[in-house]
Amino acid sequence: MKSFVAAAVAAVVGLSLAGAAEAQPRAKRAKASDTVYRDTTSPDSVRGVGTESQDIVSMADTMVRDLLLVPALMNQPTPPRVIVDSKFFRNESSEIIDKSLITDRIRVGLNRAASGRMMFIGREYAEMVELERDLKAEGRVDVGTTGRTRAQAGADYRLVGRIGTRDAVDTRTGVTSRFSQYTFELVDLEYGAIVWSNLYEFKKENRDDVVYR
């Protein structure tokens, strides 16, 4: 008898709790905001102390303009061969950043502005090129329209660089200050000489830093 009463009480309590849970109002989901397009050269509405879109655009454009004045690149009878990618562009800073966003923009800008006065070597695509060369050598495909070469193109110069930062945090106010320095250099791939260098730097302060991805 006691077990029957206990079971009945438990059932009543369970129904009461279920009813109370159903009676509670459901939390409303926040309404999604409309997507807004902004000029890539303008400051982000979400601002922190890290590298943002306007910084990438500005530094890439600055480097392109300066590289177009380098005699070793622009004053040669035979267009020099240049590699511009992120492989030797080191990130030693305190933030996560996609280095290719910077080097890709520099390469594209140079390629468009140079108008054939420079040849850009896609070293990151070397494996793809070698596969195609093997198909041609085996006779499985024809040689295309430009004919065969003895080997893939070697490069004369490569753009390298380094990203560095220095952070300071005021523990009383929570303000973060970050100095960012981007170093760009053009290296002669035969002698190892640095034929061009430039810096891009900025300093930012913010009380509440944002997350960069």
Side-chain angles (χ1 to χ4, degrees), residues 93 162-166 179-183 199-202:
S93 72
R162 182 184 296 111
I163 307 169
T165 55
R166 182 183 182 278
F179 169 72
S180 299
Q181 177 174 288
Y182 286 74
T183 304
L199 291 173
Y200 190 91
E201 59 187 25
F202 53 86

Side-chain angles (χ1 to χ4, degrees), residues 174-190:
V175 172
T176 298
S177 175
R178 176 174 297 166
F179 169 72
S180 299
Q181 177 174 288
Y182 286 74
T183 304
F184 298 88
E185 295 182 315
L186 193 67
V187 177
D188 185 313
L189 294 177
E190 189 66 30

